[in-house]
């Protein structure tokens, strides 16, 4: 990467971490999803330009909020693969189905139906099932035992295409303590892949625990702070 500057340096550092972790684990390097929460369109556009210069054809970016993404996506430029990685209320399914290429947080049958209803089946929406792997009361996501039924509901919708699973393990100061949750997700992923075609994405791992996630089999890591620096306060809704 020939570009210089803090953003280029942070991107290179993240890329190096991913490569080292994948090499140590004997696994293919996962895809990088840049998390743009509270970042503006110009920052995402600059990051994606660096990623294209490094050889990525279509950089992937993730947003947590539908309304924030709606304001940001037009200014970030073309050629970006957009993922919704925040909880989705069913009343925002119409807008999400039109804005995003992927929704990583499908966790209930009603949301499956709502997304399918508002997506053109000629261009299926790529979806992941979000799993509440540590059964936290404060977290969204389905229970691990509900994955097969939810996968069947998605498979019945021509406007949706199931690609795999996503999870956010319970926080812990020591990232190594999250590895059992990542391992459980990999076991769920392998079981799903054995039963359903096209399963290829296990989204887990963030800035502080991507090494542990990669060691356990992540195929996509969601990174924000390590790319952009400390997150500014989120603007008031509007």
């Amino acid at each position: 990467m020939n570009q210089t500057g803090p953003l280029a340096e942070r991107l290179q550092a993240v890329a190096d971490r991913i490569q080292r972790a994948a090499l140590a684990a004997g696994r293919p390097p996962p895809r990088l999803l840049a998390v743009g929460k509270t970042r503006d369109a110009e920052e995402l556009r600059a990051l994606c330009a660096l990623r294209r210069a490094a050889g990525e054809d279509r950089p992937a970016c993730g947003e947590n909020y539908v309304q924030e993404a709606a304001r940001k996506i037009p200014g970030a430029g073309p050629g970006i693969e957009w993922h919704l990685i925040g909880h989705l209320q069913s009343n925002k399914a119409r807008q999400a189905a039109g804005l995003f290429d992927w929704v990583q947080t499908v966790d209930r049958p009603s949301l499956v139906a709502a997304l399918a209803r508002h997506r053109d089946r000629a261009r299926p929406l790529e979806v992941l099932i979000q799993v509440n792997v540590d059964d936290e009361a404060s977290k969204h996501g389905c229970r691990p035992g509900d994955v097969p039924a939810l996968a069947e509901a998605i498979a019945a919708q021509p406007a949706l295409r199931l690609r795999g699973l996503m999870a956010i393990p319970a926080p812990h100061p020591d990232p190594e303590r999250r590895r059992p949750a990542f391992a459980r997700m990999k076991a769920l992923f392998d079981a799903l892949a054995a039963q359903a075609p096209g399963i290829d994405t296990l989204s887990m791992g963030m800035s502080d625990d991507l090494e542990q996630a990669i060691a356990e089999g992540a195929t996509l890591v969601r990174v924000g702070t390590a790319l952009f620096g400390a997150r500014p306060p989120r603007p008031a809704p509007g």
Side-chain angles (χ1 to χ4, degrees):
M1 186 180 299
N2 296 323
Q3 288 85 347
T4 59
L7 184 59
E9 291 169 3
R10 289 192 293 265
L11 176 59
Q12 187 64 64
V14 169
D16 289 345
R17 286 177 63 191
I18 289 172
Q19 290 290 338
R20 286 196 300 269
L23 184 63
R27 299 183 183 276
R31 294 185 69 199
L32 170 64
L33 181 76
V35 177
K37 182 179 178 182
T38 74
R39 302 295 173 175
D40 59 33
E42 184 176 342
E43 290 177 282
L44 290 175
R45 188 166 59 246
L47 179 70
C48 288
L50 290 169
R51 294 174 69 180
R52 290 190 189 96
E56 287 190 64
D57 291 332
R58 196 174 185 223
C61 293
E63 291 292 328
N64 289 70
Y65 303 103
V66 174
Q67 291 303 114
E68 185 177 335
R71 294 192 296 267
K72 193 181 303 183
I73 286 174
I80 298 173
E81 182 180 279
W82 290 99
H83 294 231
L84 179 65
I85 58 173
H87 176 65
L88 178 60
Q89 296 174 333
S90 294
N91 63 3
K92 289 187 170 63
R94 177 192 292 272
Q95 191 173 17
L99 278 173
F100 293 97
D101 303 295
W102 291 61
V103 173
Q104 294 200 15
T105 51
V106 175
D107 61 359
R108 58 200 187 277
S110 61
L111 184 57
V112 171
L115 285 170
R117 189 162 57 248
H118 298 300
R119 184 74 174 198
D120 182 356
R121 65 176 60 190
R123 190 173 63 93
L125 181 67
E126 315 290 349
V127 301
L128 302 181
I129 295 173
Q130 182 178 5
V131 181
N132 187 348
V133 65
D134 286 316
D135 197 23
E136 295 177 89
S138 61
K139 286 269 182 73
H140 297 288
C142 72
R143 293 183 174 182
D146 293 335
V147 167
L150 199 51
E152 286 187 12
I154 294 167
Q157 299 288 352
L160 306 181
R161 180 184 293 124
L162 179 61
R163 297 289 295 272
L165 304 176
M166 176 267 212
I168 307 170
H172 195 282
D174 179 4
E176 283 295 318
R177 295 287 293 273
R178 300 174 206 167
R179 284 187 69 147
F182 290 141
R184 292 196 299 275
M185 283 302 302
K186 181 59 163 64
L188 276 175
F189 175 79
D190 289 343
L192 180 62
Q195 298 296 323
I199 302 302
D200 59 6
T201 302
L202 179 55
S203 172
M204 60 185 191
M206 296 184 283
S207 291
D208 63 343
D209 60 9
L210 65 86
E211 284 86 359
Q212 289 77 17
I214 293 169
E216 298 299 335
T219 70
L220 182 148
V221 291
R222 309 180 303 270
V223 180
T225 301
L227 288 171
F228 296 108
R231 180 177 293 160
R234 185 176 175 233

